[in-house]
Amino acid sequence: MTQTTRGTAAARRSDARAAAAAPDASGGFTHRQILTILGGLMVGMFLAALDQTVVSTAIRTIADDLDGYDLQAWATTAFLITSTISTPLYGKLSDIYGRRPFYLFAIAVFVVGSLLCSFADTMYQLAAFRAIQGIGAGGLLSLALAIIGDIVPPRERSKYQGFFMAVFGTSSVLGPVIGGFLAGQATLAGIDGWRWIFLINVPLGIVAFLVVSRVLHLPHSRREHRIDWPGALALVVFLVPLLIVAEQGRTWGWSSGSALLCYVVGAVGFVLFLIAERAFGDDAMLPLRLFRNRTFAIGGIGSVVMGAGMFGGILLLPQYLQIVHGSSPTVAGLQMIPMVAGIMTGAVSSGILIGKTGKYKVFPLVGIVFMVVALVSMSFIVGADTSIWSIWPLMVLLGLGLGFNFQPVILAVQNAVAPSEMGVATSSVTFFRQMGGTLGVAVFLSLLFTRLPVEIGNAFRSAGLGTPPFDTDQVLSNTSSVGGAPPEAIHAFRVGFSESIDLVFLIAAGVVAVGFLVLLFLPQLELSNKSGIQARQAAEEGTETGDPAEGDDAVRAAGAAAPTSVSPVQGPAAGDGTQGDGVREVGPRR
């Protein structure tokens, strides 16, 4: 009897907590509820964002300890492959079955993968465990953004998404510092120092899991859908070879037999993916109908271009600081604080202004101008003897541009699709940005390595030093290889490296400028004052009652845009289900 009473009391307490965390009858959340949910989401995002920067700083130490220097890239590639491929899967499945279980699953898998990584004895084991970790990481970012879309109206959403930028900014500074410190310790509490890089994810992940499971209770109506497994498999066949060649192409050679094989397999996978998505229609993992939505199409293309320019450009600054200024990875991370401050300022200020004005299109365009000015200026200013003080203002400007760009495109896409497709739309934009960033990093590093021998040779000849006494192909991975050379040779090398990176900065500016031309066509739609949950409830009520006014209001609330920039309710084709306006999806299937 006592056990029954205790069980009943525990059940009541659990129900009470769920009721306190649930939205009101209209589907709205209080500011306190939103901040509580946001806290759990931020811890989860912090895990994924911190892990990338921490591991990249310590990977050489890890590879040396595991006797796998020549295999170190695979630990990064494995994580990249699984996190990229799983991103759109999380979005689609969460639209069907709800966000909460998949976000908890993502945290749990990430924690398990982190724990396994800490026990790795070989680089092959580490790569396999990093792949498991990546499966979890793929859902931490995209689902967090989708959940915010569910609980916060578009008009207010950018203010809360600014907190996410603070997470990324903080992790980009703390990552190299923590990674450098832990990798530099022989042992801590009897455990190799680098293993703590993965172990610290475990308590953070447990906290995130407990917080999210306690406070995240979102209403969801499950719908019967076919699961697009053929599309998922085709996506794997398409992406895995391309991601592998992006990471390994510089080592293999871009026209080598291995690279050509990857291109062919990737092309076959892409064709199979299109066939599968067309066959599954609205049940597809990435419904092709979404590309008829102008905002989604422009947002996707713009995300690829901006991802390439942004991540490719960001990568170059730490390389310059470490190789030319001789900064350690930890110091280089601290020297990037001005850019992080710019990112946070741009994200928070744009969020506040979008909330007040309802205008989002202007911010990515202004941000691109800031980025182009900063990158072009760096291409002329950065040199072997350039003071860090003269670069910091340009870092701030570049950070402001980045902060203006991260939020508005995702906000525009979320505002322009049916609420039932919030997850797949959000994850698709994230996926496109990841792909662009991967390609940008691969291309810019390849260009840098291609120019290095030429520019360093020119610098040595100009200084009358003859042939460089070190192997330029190993410099980016081991800056100490230059340290034993005579001072005049070191200076000549830094001159050659600066000349090489100047060209890459200029090309990155050109890529970012293309993003301006793309986003110039981004429609400026009216931002809804209803959250995704409220919009879905209104859409279902409007469909069930047959009230055309409520149905139109639901479409407007969802921001489901036809391929024009006019309001979907005003457009001549709105509501006919033929222009990708999302009307057919807002009601339950019968």
Side-chain angles (χ1 to χ4, degrees), residues 43-385:
V43 175
M45 293 183 67
F46 183 74
L47 284 172
L50 181 69
D51 187 74
Q52 297 182 43
T53 53
V54 167
V55 173
S56 63
T57 305
I59 189 63
R60 277 188 52 80
T61 302
I62 297 173
D64 289 340
D65 190 60
L66 297 179
D67 297 323
Y69 173 80
D70 56 336
L71 301 173
Q72 60 178 299
W74 288 106
T76 304
T77 305
F79 181 92
L80 179 68
I81 288 173
T82 54
S83 62
T84 302
I85 290 173
S86 62
T87 295
L89 283 171
Y90 277 110
K92 183 63 178 181
L93 292 175
S94 70
D95 279 339
I96 300 174
Y97 300 107
R99 315 274 187 240
R100 184 175 184 268
F102 285 97
Y103 197 71
L104 292 175
F105 174 79
I107 295 174
V109 172
F110 187 87
V111 170
V112 170
S114 299
L115 189 61
L116 290 173
C117 287
S118 68
F119 288 101
D121 291 324
T122 67
M123 285 301 295
Y124 289 111
Q125 289 183 6
L126 182 64
F129 297 151
R130 287 278 286 164
I132 296 174
Q133 201 181 27
I135 294 174
L140 293 179
L141 171 60
S142 60
L143 288 185
L145 294 173
I147 290 169
I148 288 296
D150 284 334
I151 66 177
V152 182
R155 188 67 182 260
E156 306 295 325
R157 194 172 300 160
S158 56
K159 292 188 292 186
Y160 291 99
Q161 287 177 340
F163 288 103
F164 290 161
M165 293 307 305
V167 170
F168 279 100
T170 303
S171 67
S172 65
V173 172
L174 290 181
V177 176
I178 295 174
F181 171 77
L182 293 177
Q185 306 299 310
T187 59
L188 283 174
I191 300 174
D192 294 336
W194 65 264
R195 296 183 187 274
W196 285 99
I197 290 173
F198 301 105
L199 286 174
I200 59 175
N201 291 332
V202 176
L204 289 176
I206 292 174
V207 170
F209 189 94
L210 293 176
V211 172
V212 172
S213 63
R214 185 183 181 91
V215 305
L216 186 63
H217 298 277
L218 305 179
H220 180 77
S221 300
R222 177 172 172 176
R223 305 177 182 186
E224 293 302 322
H225 281 259
R226 295 178 295 167
I227 303 299
D228 183 15
W229 296 119
L233 180 60
L235 185 65
V236 172
V237 177
F238 167 43
L239 290 180
V240 169
L242 296 185
L243 292 173
I244 289 176
V245 78
E247 290 290 302
Q248 305 293 327
R250 183 176 55 80
T251 303
W252 293 347
W254 298 105
S255 58
S256 65
S258 299
L260 292 176
L261 178 61
C262 287
Y263 300 146
V264 172
V265 174
V268 171
F270 179 69
V271 173
L272 293 176
F273 180 72
L274 292 180
I275 294 173
E277 301 312 275
R278 184 178 181 85
F280 273 75
D282 290 344
D283 291 336
M285 187 173 66
L286 179 56
L288 299 180
R289 172 181 50 78
L290 285 175
F291 288 95
R292 296 201 298 269
N293 182 313
R294 181 177 169 185
T295 300
F296 180 86
I298 295 299
I301 297 171
S303 294
V304 173
V305 176
M306 293 305 298
M310 287 191 297
F311 292 109
I314 292 173
L315 170 76
L316 302 175
L317 277 173
Q319 300 285 1
Y320 169 77
L321 293 173
Q322 292 179 55
I323 293 176
V324 176
H325 283 266
S327 303
S328 66
T330 302
V331 173
L334 294 174
Q335 289 173 333
M336 296 286 287
I337 288 179
M339 190 180 78
V340 174
I343 290 175
M344 296 171 65
T345 302
V348 173
S349 61
S350 63
I352 293 173
L353 291 174
I354 290 173
K356 289 183 177 180
T357 65
K359 305 296 183 183
Y360 54 80
K361 179 179 177 178
V362 64
F363 292 101
L365 296 177
V366 172
I368 290 174
V369 172
F370 285 171
M371 292 172 63
V372 170
V373 171
L375 290 171
V376 171
S377 299
M378 286 181 182
S379 71
F380 287 103
I381 292 176
V382 165
D385 301 312

Side-chain angles (χ1 to χ4, degrees), residues 538-539 541-543 545-557 569 583 586:
E541 292 171 2
T543 303
T545 61
D547 186 341
E550 289 190 20
D552 284 347
D553 183 63
V555 175
R556 186 185 294 107
V569 176
V583 177
V586 296

Side-chain angles (χ1 to χ4, degrees), residues 562 564 566-576 581:
T564 64
V566 299
S567 169
V569 176
Q570 297 171 346
D576 64 3
D581 54 25

